[in-house]
Amino acid sequence: MVEIEPERLRRWVENFAARNGGIAAHHAEGNAWTIESNEGTSAGVRWALADGLPAGWLLDGDPLTAAERLSAYALEPRRIAVLLARKGAYSVGVLDDGRIEASKTGTAYVQGKTKAGGQSQQRFARRREGQAHAAEKRARDAAFAVLGSARFDSLVTGGVVDGILEDPRLAHLKPAAHFGDIAEPKQSLLTETAYRAIAFRVRVVPGGADLH
């Protein structure tokens, strides 16, 4: 599985064709745009930000034209909300066509696990739990402040955000895409994640095996 930026999709399709004896066929199949090479290798292309690809007319014509149309669709201006959390740190924001309109970022100390035993271990565990709860509360408050009444097209999340989204004030927020492993949440990572969310995820299967 690889991630392909929208601007690179046409070139990736060209290279796929060159490496696999040309393209024999391509078609929309469920949520994926499937490309089949003359050598039997298949590629399933999915847009990261949605469950399905755009309307069928985007896939008409030759595969390079389809790639160009999909790229243009992915690069259309959008308002994307981003919520990131990791190890006591969080960053949340709303971006309009890649530009941050509103955001909040914070870091809280959460003690790591200790090898101490007995009462010391219990004391450290209680302290760590208290720090984690306090950090999550700050993240929930920040998420509500930025996203509670904000207008956006899609929400993208990264890291460990389940506890934050359990806040009743945020019950209306439904992520369209999630990235599990992220770096330390910072404002700059909001922009990177929003751009990553409009990329394409491509799964290449040698020999034409089942893509689903």
Side-chain angles (χ1 to χ4, degrees):
M1 184 75 74
V2 295
E3 292 183 7
I4 306 295
E5 297 90 343
E7 297 91 340
R8 293 181 52 232
L9 185 61
R10 178 193 167 98
R11 177 56 60 86
W12 189 91
V13 173
E14 289 178 336
N15 291 339
F16 174 83
R19 291 192 301 267
N20 296 281
I23 295 176
H26 72 107
H27 52 276
E29 190 174 331
N31 289 335
W33 174 38
T34 302
I35 307 171
E36 300 174 358
S37 78
N38 286 317
E39 295 180 354
T41 298
S42 296
V45 182
R46 298 172 186 265
W47 192 43
L49 199 57
D51 291 333
L53 291 172
W57 67 266
L58 288 171
L59 301 180
D60 289 346
D62 68 81
L64 295 183
T65 300
E68 290 175 352
R69 289 174 175 172
L70 287 172
S71 295
Y73 178 84
L75 290 169
E76 288 179 1
R78 288 179 178 82
R79 292 176 61 84
I80 298 177
V82 181
L83 173 61
L84 309 171
R86 176 177 179 266
K87 294 182 179 178
Y90 69 85
S91 192
V92 56
V94 176
L95 297 88
D96 186 2
D97 196 19
R99 296 181 295 275
I100 297 176
E101 280 196 341
S103 70
K104 284 183 177 292
T105 299
T107 302
Y109 175 73
V110 177
Q111 183 175 326
K113 294 183 179 180
T114 178
K115 295 182 180 180
Q119 292 182 345
S120 294
Q121 185 180 38
Q122 294 174 7
R123 185 169 60 253
F124 279 120
R126 288 194 299 269
R127 183 183 303 168
R128 184 176 186 276
E129 183 178 357
Q131 291 170 343
H133 282 316
E136 186 174 277
K137 182 181 184 305
R138 283 191 285 271
R140 287 183 171 194
D141 290 342
F144 176 70
V146 176
L147 305 181
S149 59
R151 179 177 57 83
F152 50 85
D153 300 312
S154 299
L155 170 64
V156 179
T157 56
V160 183
V161 298
D162 289 349
I164 299 172
L165 293 176
E166 287 175 358
D167 190 311
R169 298 173 298 174
L170 306 175
H172 63 289
L173 299 180
K174 306 298 179 184
H178 177 75
F179 301 99
D181 295 328
I182 61 170
E184 181 179 352
K186 296 180 179 179
Q187 190 180 59
S188 60
L189 193 60
L190 293 175
T191 305
E192 293 176 22
T193 305
Y195 181 60
R196 186 181 178 189
I198 63 170
F200 294 92
R201 294 173 177 174
V202 182
R203 182 185 178 194
V204 179
V205 182
D210 185 5
L211 283 166
H212 304 286

